Amino acid sequence: MLTADEKLWDTAKDSVGKDDIVFEDIHLKNGSENACALYCAGKDLYNGSRHLAIDDMADGGLIKNKVFSLIYNAILLKRNGLATVNWVEICVCGEEEN
């Protein structure tokens, strides 16, 4: 999710290693609401913390649909692993045929 926003990624990339992400070294400066939501969701999924509340996720004025979709897909990946990707590919292919 850190790569979904260009400015967020520019800020975060030096804190992302091969095997870890040091969120404490990522300092958001003048980031957008989208960047903040992506950062908080990424941190929550990675660390098991709870910075982004379900109420925040439900607020369409706070979290835009595209960002919501990114977070939702990341949750699916965390929960189900790569099986999620295979399922999405099957569903997308089926939809394209109709």
Side-chain angles (χ1 to χ4, degrees), residues 3-38:
T3 63
D5 181 274
E6 188 175 345
K7 289 181 181 180
L8 174 58
W9 178 239
D10 284 342
T11 302
K13 64 184 171 188
D14 291 336
S15 301
V16 177
K18 181 181 175 191
D19 297 319
D20 64 341
I21 302 171
V22 184
F23 282 94
E24 293 74 26
D25 292 345
I26 302 172
H27 305 287
L28 299 178
K29 302 174 197 162
N30 301 324
S32 67
E33 288 179 349
N34 290 341
C36 185
L38 290 165

Side-chain angles (χ1 to χ4, degrees), residues 17-77:
K18 181 181 175 191
D19 297 319
D20 64 341
I21 302 171
V22 184
F23 282 94
E24 293 74 26
D25 292 345
I26 302 172
H27 305 287
L28 299 178
K29 302 174 197 162
N30 301 324
S32 67
E33 288 179 349
N34 290 341
C36 185
L38 290 165
Y39 170 81
C40 288
K43 186 174 183 177
D44 287 349
L45 288 171
Y46 187 82
N47 290 328
S49 54
R50 296 179 183 199
H51 294 95
L52 190 61
I54 195 75
D55 289 347
D56 296 334
M57 291 285 294
D59 185 344
L62 180 62
I63 297 180
K64 306 299 181 217
N65 287 339
K66 183 177 180 181
V67 174
F68 175 84
S69 294
L70 288 167
I71 294 169
Y72 178 75
N73 286 324
I75 291 168
L76 285 175
L77 282 168

